[in-house]
Amino acid sequence: MPVETNNKSQIKPPKMRQFGGSFLILLTLLLLLNFIVPSFFGPQSPQVPYSTFIAQVEAGQVDRAIVGGDRIQYSLHSQTPDGKPSEQVFVTTPVAIDLDLPRILREHNVEFAAPPPNQNGWISTLISWIAPPLIFFGIWGFLMSRQAGGPAALTVGKSKARIYSEGSTGVKFTDVAGVDEAKAELEEIVDFLKNAGKYTNLGAKIPKGALLVGPPGTGKTLLAKAIAGEAGVPFFSISGSEFIELFVGVGAARVRDLFEQAKQQAPCIVFIDELDALGKSRGGAGGFIGGNDEREQTLNQLLTEMDGFDANTGVIIIAATNRPEVLDPALRRPGRFDRQVVVDRPDKIGREAILKVHARNVKLAEDVNLGTIAIRTPGFAGADLANLVNEAALLAARQNRQAVTMADFNEAIERLVAGLEKRSRVLNETEKKTVAYHEVGHAIIGALMPGAGKVEKISVVPRGVGALGYTIQMPEEDRFLMVEDEIRGRIAILLGGRSAEEIIFGKVSTGASDDIQKATDLAERAITLYGMSDKLGPVAFEKSQQQFIEGYSNPRRAISPKVAEEIDREVKLTVDNAHHIALSILQYNRDLLEQTAEELLQKEILEGSQLREHLNQAKAPDEMAEWLRTGKLSEDKPLLQTLLV
Ligand code: ADP
Ligand code: MG
Ligand code: ZN
């Protein structure tokens, strides 16, 4: 694990706490003193009403008085039994400034004087000058000491970048697999960091930044750590979202701080994860709430900093994003993130390599073939594969096995694809029968359609959030393009479940809603994005995401109502034709459908050779080939309604 010191802010707080604490104590003492001192030194004299005092003066009883502005002390003539004058002193508070008082006192022969200057005065004066600043500093110190672990109200502007000190990311290039092109490009950066002289002597400028682009979980963060690990340089890492703060201007201050730190530690790597959180196009959609200012300022600061330092200082900025299309074009300009490294989902060979990396510390049984697992996991990213190996190991451990077997891997794949088995969800007989026919419907059509892969397994054991049964189809190879007949085939497969229900039960259940959704989406995309409709031609009716984000409000092009109607009609025709073919295929293979469904009901799961025996008997009706080629049905073919009896 990297040593993460939250530099600066974590070192200071203990000092601040002492500082604040001692000031607080001092402050309290001084305040107490201020209240206590006068009452200690002042005599404890009985308090009498002012009227009584005046009455005593006029009665000639008062001997002497000390007259202050808000306090009068006096003593009486009256003598104690042994003849000495009374030492008893009384205190009264004058009602207002009584201008007659000196005259009255003189008339009654009272000896009077003003009070001597206050001995405690200098202390009060001192306190009245010192206390307010002390209170201020006390509260300040108190807050500073609190924020060490608490809300960062006062850390504004301090970079949260963590330092992974030399080599301590612990990640090497050998830990990253299946992304060879990206690795090759990044190895070059490692060389820049290690042997900068070789390049600068020739007058070459070392690139300032590289942008890692790729879907989530493909190993972008891992690659950045590997660069630091290989080059053995400090690694500053911060996530784009951490720059965005409540207060406008804070993010910009952070960027400044981050670069300052980095320049002091050069050569080093600054890694900005999830750059899209910060680098979204300025002034794009979403600005209507007015919350964009902070992000814009932060982004501007980043651009300024990237321009501001000299190319050969040895600071290399690596950023990662899975949404390159939303990045501000200014970020991608040469001189900033001038190198873009694509980190894509791995292909079959790559997946096998990644599996090998993660299986290094896992005990594998003899029968485990990582190559086969790689074939069965198209579309899995590195993170998915890491998760897969771990799931399989957990399964094996739960069964108290000595090593992880192929069966564990297969179960783990299914878990990741379809969710956990839910045998607790009990279906009644009719429901189970409906599900069985539905799944066999998918499977038979799946077996006949091109490019859809082999049907591997059908099951009526509920899984995951909503699936009551499922059919697993595994592609035999990685596919990057879909041809139009494959799209048609896929739509027909999706509708196969519902079509089987129609044929066998004469009515449909709610279980096909997801299939229908997917089929319709696919048909719509074929027409509005891929230009596969003869009528509408190769015209895009949807905007790609990038155009959408750069300030247009609607995802569709502005189209006339007539064209919209045409699109709707074409989508419906595509789906209807596929539905027709699905019905037609199942009608044609009706016996096979019933046999297979009965067996599935008994065994709950059909897979491997058992399943293949059944599906190999599936036969394609004549019209299928023609439909796959053109998407059209011949005019004289019976329509859906005739099949729907
Ligand atoms: P990203 O940043 O692209 O979203 P990460 O780098 O965070 O993905 O990957 C998450 C985890 O998945 C890694 O820690 C690693 O265990 C695993 N992983 C992802 N890609 C790879 C790869 N190419 N090789 C080995 N492991 C990988
Ligand atoms: Mg990441
Ligand atoms: Zn279905």
Side-chain angles (χ1 to χ4, degrees):
M1 277 304 290
V3 191
E4 297 177 18
T5 50
N6 211 341
N7 60 347
K8 287 201 176 176
S9 55
Q10 240 180 27
I11 303 164
K12 266 185 186 167
K15 264 195 207 158
M16 294 309 298
R17 183 174 286 130
Q18 278 176 2
F19 170 77
S22 53
F23 256 140
L24 265 190
I25 293 168
L26 187 66
L27 187 71
T28 324
L29 279 180
L30 281 173
L31 282 176
L32 274 179
L33 212 63
N34 197 20
F35 288 113
I36 289 168
V37 167
S39 46
F40 258 130
F41 294 100
Q44 298 289 319
S45 316
Q47 184 86 26
V48 285
Y50 188 59
S51 56
T52 313
F53 165 67
I54 294 295
Q56 283 171 330
V57 171
E58 287 179 337
Q61 293 168 347
V62 178
D63 179 23
R64 45 171 105 171
I66 297 172
V67 184
D70 49 4
R71 180 184 156 99
I72 298 171
Q73 285 181 43
Y74 66 97
S75 56
L76 300 179
H77 282 305
S78 59
Q79 303 202 326
T80 45
D82 53 8
K84 284 183 183 167
S86 163
E87 291 295 310
Q88 180 78 332
V89 174
F90 300 89
V91 173
T92 187
T93 310
V95 173
I97 298 174
D98 190 347
L99 290 176
D100 286 342
L101 188 62
R103 189 180 49 83
I104 298 172
L105 291 175
R106 223 176 299 125
E107 276 172 9
H108 293 92
N109 290 322
V110 179
E111 189 189 329
F112 69 95
N118 195 348
Q119 291 103 334
N120 295 333
W122 66 273
I123 291 194
S124 325
T125 316
L126 198 67
I127 287 176
S128 72
W129 278 96
I130 288 180
L134 277 187
I135 293 175
F136 175 77
F137 280 114
I139 292 176
W140 182 65
F142 177 64
L143 284 180
M144 287 297 279
S145 65
R146 260 173 47 121
Q147 56 94 15
L154 289 163
T155 38
V156 283
K158 283 286 168 252
S159 162
K160 286 185 191 159
R162 294 154 290 183
I163 298 184
Y164 291 81
S165 52
E166 184 164 327
S168 69
T169 64
V171 182
K172 295 275 169 187
F173 272 136
T174 48
D175 297 321
V176 194
V179 280
D180 295 335
E181 291 98 342
K183 254 162 68 176
E185 287 206 40
L186 295 173
E187 258 156 20
E188 209 178 323
I189 290 186
V190 172
D191 202 43
F192 288 146
L193 285 168
K194 276 185 172 164
N195 317 309
K198 188 168 92 187
Y199 298 89
T200 49
N201 285 347
L202 281 174
K205 281 211 179 81
I206 292 174
K208 280 184 191 171
L211 179 61
L212 304 177
V213 177
T218 45
K220 299 181 292 297
T221 309
L222 192 67
L223 268 171
K225 285 185 187 170
I227 297 172
E230 290 280 337
V233 298
F235 183 65
F236 292 82
S237 135
I238 193 162
S239 166
S241 54
E242 285 174 59
F243 280 122
I244 305 302
E245 287 283 336
L246 187 61
F247 306 109
V248 173
V250 175
R254 279 221 171 109
V255 173
R256 223 174 296 129
D257 189 46
L258 173 66
F259 277 82
E260 214 132 90
Q261 287 182 31
K263 274 182 246 172
Q264 284 163 12
Q265 302 249 354
C268 67
I269 288 178
V270 173
F271 178 53
I272 305 176
D273 212 351
E274 287 150 53
L275 181 67
D276 45 287
L278 157 75
K280 278 201 192 105
S281 293
R282 288 165 291 186
F288 54 87
I289 323 170
N292 250 4
D293 277 5
E294 164 65 353
R295 207 181 54 213
E296 243 169 67
Q297 283 200 11
T298 312
L299 176 57
N300 284 338
Q301 187 65 40
L302 179 67
L303 296 176
T304 316
E305 291 288 346
M306 288 195 77
D307 288 342
F309 69 87
D310 185 22
N312 293 335
T313 50
V315 180
I316 291 191
I317 304 158
I318 295 179
T321 178
N322 46 27
R323 303 179 62 199
E325 73 281 354
V326 306
L327 286 187
D328 198 289
L331 272 173
R332 309 221 233 156
R333 184 207 90 181
R336 288 170 184 158
F337 291 111
D338 36 12
R339 302 216 158 187
Q340 286 200 36
V341 178
V342 177
V343 187
D344 214 348
R345 287 211 179 81
D347 57 5
K348 198 190 85 192
I349 296 164
R351 288 197 297 274
E352 190 175 344
I354 295 174
L355 283 168
K356 252 184 213 141
V357 168
H358 289 282
R360 276 193 301 219
N361 302 321
V362 175
K363 256 191 210 145
L364 298 182
E366 291 276 288
D367 68 336
V368 174
N369 183 340
L370 295 180
T372 315
I373 300 172
I375 294 175
R376 301 196 55 184
T377 48
F380 276 44
D384 301 319
L385 293 168
N387 191 14
L388 170 68
V389 174
N390 192 48
E391 275 289 325
L394 288 178
L395 280 171
R398 208 168 300 150
Q399 314 261 341
N400 293 321
R401 273 199 264 277
Q402 295 304 311
V404 187
T405 65
M406 197 65 178
D408 296 323
F409 275 102
N410 286 340
E411 170 64 16
I413 293 175
E414 261 173 60
R415 276 189 178 201
L416 293 186
V417 172
L420 289 183
E421 263 190 11
K422 287 229 171 69
R423 285 187 188 266
S424 59
R425 192 184 285 149
V426 182
L427 304 179
N428 69 30
E429 280 310 303
T430 340
E431 282 172 336
K432 203 151 204 173
K433 203 166 160 194
T434 310
V435 174
Y437 276 95
H438 180 108
E439 298 307 332
V440 176
H442 283 311
I444 290 181
I445 296 173
L448 292 172
M449 288 301 164
K454 218 164 53 178
V455 181
E456 292 238 324
K457 179 170 181 174
I458 39 181
S459 157
V460 287
V461 180
R463 251 190 200 278
V465 190
L468 298 178
Y470 56 94
T471 306
I472 292 185
Q473 246 182 328
M474 287 288 173
E476 277 128 81
E477 51 183 357
D478 288 3
R479 293 296 306 271
F480 302 100
L481 282 177
M482 273 217 292
V483 186
E484 56 180 329
D485 58 345
E486 290 170 6
I487 291 187
R488 290 185 196 117
R490 190 147 300 176
I491 297 174
I493 297 170
L494 283 165
L495 295 172
R498 178 204 150 99
S499 304
E501 290 179 42
E502 283 173 57
I503 287 176
I504 301 296
F505 306 106
K507 52 190 173 189
V508 292
S509 73
T510 56
S513 66
D514 191 44
D515 294 337
I516 292 173
Q517 185 72 54
K518 282 186 191 147
T520 314
D521 285 350
L522 192 52
E524 184 169 3
R525 262 183 289 147
I527 286 151
T528 59
L529 274 181
Y530 311 143
M532 287 181 180
S533 151
D534 291 344
K535 275 224 183 88
L536 294 161
V539 176
F541 295 101
E542 308 265 324
K543 290 202 165 72
S544 70
Q545 206 183 9
Q546 176 160 20
Q547 290 168 310
F548 175 51
I549 279 167
E550 276 172 4
Y552 301 93
S553 52
N554 60 328
R556 258 196 184 182
R557 281 177 80 85
I559 48 174
S560 68
K562 233 184 181 166
V563 174
E565 223 179 293
E566 196 67 38
I567 290 174
D568 288 342
R569 200 175 309 131
E570 284 286 283
V571 171
K572 181 159 164 36
L573 190 69
T574 309
V575 175
D576 277 351
N577 283 354
H579 185 198
H580 175 104
I581 287 292
L583 285 168
S584 162
I585 291 173
L586 293 176
Q587 198 67 282
Y588 198 67
N589 294 287
R590 183 164 178 148
D591 290 345
L592 177 66
L593 174 64
E594 293 194 11
Q595 279 168 28
T596 318
E598 285 311 317
E599 193 173 340
L600 177 62
L601 270 175
Q602 274 175 18
K603 296 192 170 148
E604 290 203 324
I605 291 173
L606 279 181
E607 59 187 331
S609 56
Q610 266 182 337
L611 179 64
R612 226 163 301 129
E613 242 168 60
H614 285 284
L615 294 184
N616 282 345
Q617 299 170 36
K619 287 190 288 289
D622 302 334
E623 54 185 333
M624 194 181 101
E626 166 78 3
W627 168 77
L628 275 176
R629 203 163 51 78
T630 62
K632 294 191 184 71
L633 298 169
S634 357
E635 299 297 335
D636 56 331
K637 287 297 171 201
L639 286 176
L640 293 177
Q641 286 82 343
T642 52
L643 283 160
L644 254 177
V645 208

